[in-house]
């Protein structure tokens, strides 16, 4: 996933971006999400890796800082405003059922600690945290393995 489309994202609507530094895409999936944020009229503001959340890693039992991929402020279909923190991750690093390799299972353990800390942080701020995978990013297309995609998952 991460070897494609890395680099600074070029915005067409920079007035919507409220981050302190230019958005940097670490994967083609992040590029897709950034394109949506940049061009969708329901997205009011967005930022990339702006919020630092402390968490303890289950691998080394030490404190680290987690920077979720995006913070986004948007208007929903009912004309209500929301703020969410979003993380873009492969499905294989998002659920135990899809973690195939030892590396995937280790990444999932660290991710679970990060996401628990992010969920608690967001709850204290009255906002929502979500993990989005290829299933949500490409939900209108067929699964890369030929099946139909799931309709989304909340963290």
């Amino acid at each position: 996933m991460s070897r494609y489309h890395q680099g600074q994202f070029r915005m067409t609507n920079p007035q919507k971006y409220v981050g302190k530094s230019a958005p940097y895409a670490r994967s083609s999936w992040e590029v897709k999400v950034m394109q949506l944020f940049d061009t969708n009229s329901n997205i009011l503001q967005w930022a990339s890796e702006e919020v630092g959340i402390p968490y303890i890693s289950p691998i080394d039992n030490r404190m680290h800082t987690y920077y979720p991929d995006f913070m986004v402020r948007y208007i929903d279909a009912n004309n209500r405003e929301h703020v969410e923190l979003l993380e873009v991750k492969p499905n294989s690093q998002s659920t135990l059922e899809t973690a195939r390799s030892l590396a995937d299972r280790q990444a999932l353990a660290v991710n679970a600690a990060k996401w628990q800390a992010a969920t608690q942080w967001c709850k204290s701020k009255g906002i929502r945290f979500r993990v989005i995978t290829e299933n949500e990013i490409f939900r209108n297309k067929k699964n890369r393995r030929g099946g139909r995609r799931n309709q989304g998952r909340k963290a």
Side-chain angles (χ1 to χ4, degrees), residues 64-77:
H64 296 268
T65 303
Y66 167 46
Y67 294 90
D69 292 326
F70 303 105
M71 180 174 266
V72 61
R73 188 168 69 95
Y74 67 94
I75 301 291
D76 71 12

Side-chain angles (χ1 to χ4, degrees), residues 122-140:
C122 286
K123 187 175 181 180
S124 76
K125 306 290 185 199
I127 64 176
R128 185 171 134 177
F129 173 74
R130 277 194 310 147
V131 176
I132 57 175
T133 69
E134 64 272 23
N135 296 338
E136 290 78 35
I137 296 168
F138 302 105
R139 71 176 155 197
N140 294 328

Side-chain angles (χ1 to χ4, degrees), residues 10-51:
R10 296 177 204 259
M11 298 170 277
T12 56
N13 294 295
Q15 71 279 6
K16 292 169 69 170
Y17 187 75
V18 295
K20 293 180 183 125
S21 58
Y24 185 88
R26 301 182 194 287
S27 71
S28 59
W29 297 351
E30 286 186 11
V31 169
K32 274 286 201 212
V33 172
M34 289 178 184
Q35 288 170 339
L36 171 72
F37 292 165
D38 190 39
T39 60
N40 187 305
S41 61
N42 289 340
I43 304 298
L44 304 174
Q45 295 178 316
W46 66 283
S48 177
E49 298 183 346
E50 284 295 311
V51 176

Side-chain angles (χ1 to χ4, degrees), residues 140-154:
N140 294 328
K141 296 180 181 177
K142 285 188 175 182
N143 185 309
R144 291 178 186 205
R145 299 201 191 298
R148 297 198 67 82
R149 298 203 179 265
N150 296 334
Q151 282 299 317
R153 206 178 51 65
K154 293 179 186 174

